[in-house]
Amino acid sequence: MFTETGQTNNELRDFVTQERKKSLSDREWKFRLAGYGYDVRKSSDCLKLVTLRHKVELCDLPLDRPEAS
């Protein structure tokens, strides 16, 4: 499935994961994503990546923080 920006869910997950690895905290990570027009909403079993402008759900994200490389 393609999103409004033409990216697939896997491409979005990879991008968001890389941004999370660069961030020192979840707060910084969410701030970085907001700069790209995205927000993260917590669901009962996962996180949801949504657009800031229209609140459209784009993909699910894992709850756990990836290992920094």
Side-chain angles (χ1 to χ4, degrees):
M1 177 180 151
F2 284 92
T3 63
E4 296 172 345
T5 60
Q7 294 176 308
T8 65
N9 287 348
N10 288 336
E11 290 172 332
L12 278 174
R13 272 190 213 98
D14 290 344
F15 166 73
V16 171
T17 301
Q18 291 303 315
E19 288 298 312
R20 199 170 192 185
K21 286 179 182 179
K22 295 176 191 174
S23 303
L24 298 176
S25 67
D26 284 344
R27 184 176 178 176
E28 179 188 357
W29 174 55
K30 291 177 183 181
F31 180 80
R32 291 173 71 98
L33 291 179
Y36 292 105
Y38 299 118
D39 192 15
V40 176
R41 303 292 166 125
K42 186 165 183 169
S43 173
S44 60
D45 58 343
C46 65
L47 298 173
K48 306 268 185 190
L49 183 67
V50 298
T51 59
L52 275 176
R53 188 171 189 182
H54 299 291
K55 308 294 186 226
V56 175
E57 288 186 10
L58 300 175
C59 65
D60 294 342
L61 305 169
L63 287 172
D64 58 334
R65 192 167 170 85
E67 295 296 320
S69 49

